[in-house]
Amino acid sequence: PERSYTKRRKAGININFMISHKKYIQITAVIFAAIGVMHALRVAYQWEAVIGGFAVPMGVSWIAVAVAAYFVYQGYELSK
């Protein structure tokens, strides 16, 4: 059930900091765009990525670029 404004204030939630669903999707799309760009740069410049002594293959970045591009597209479509 939807809480009233007074109940939200009593619960300690500041209404001024709540964002709309549309704005949340837009922010998320921008974050995934940045992630996709970084992976694309890794592929373009052949940067090595080592996590815990394990060399991450370039194929992982190719997949990450594709997934990030899909999420950005979906974010764009959902925020219309």
Side-chain angles (χ1 to χ4, degrees):
E2 185 69 31
R3 292 183 181 177
S4 69
Y5 173 76
T6 54
K7 287 183 181 177
R8 285 184 186 162
R9 290 300 272 177
K10 287 180 183 176
I13 299 172
N14 189 345
I15 301 297
N16 296 331
F17 291 127
M18 294 180 73
I19 63 173
S20 69
H21 183 71
K22 181 178 179 178
K23 185 61 70 178
Y24 173 78
I25 290 175
Q26 290 172 338
I27 292 169
T28 304
V30 169
I31 291 169
F32 275 109
I35 291 168
V37 166
M38 291 306 295
H39 278 284
L41 287 172
R42 177 180 181 242
V43 170
Y45 290 109
Q46 296 293 304
W47 291 337
E48 184 178 338
V50 179
I51 300 174
F54 173 74
V56 180
M58 285 294 168
V60 173
S61 283
W62 279 111
I63 292 169
V65 168
V67 170
Y70 175 75
F71 287 161
V72 169
Y73 171 75
Q74 288 298 315
Y76 173 75
E77 288 295 317
L78 290 171
S79 69
K80 284 184 181 179

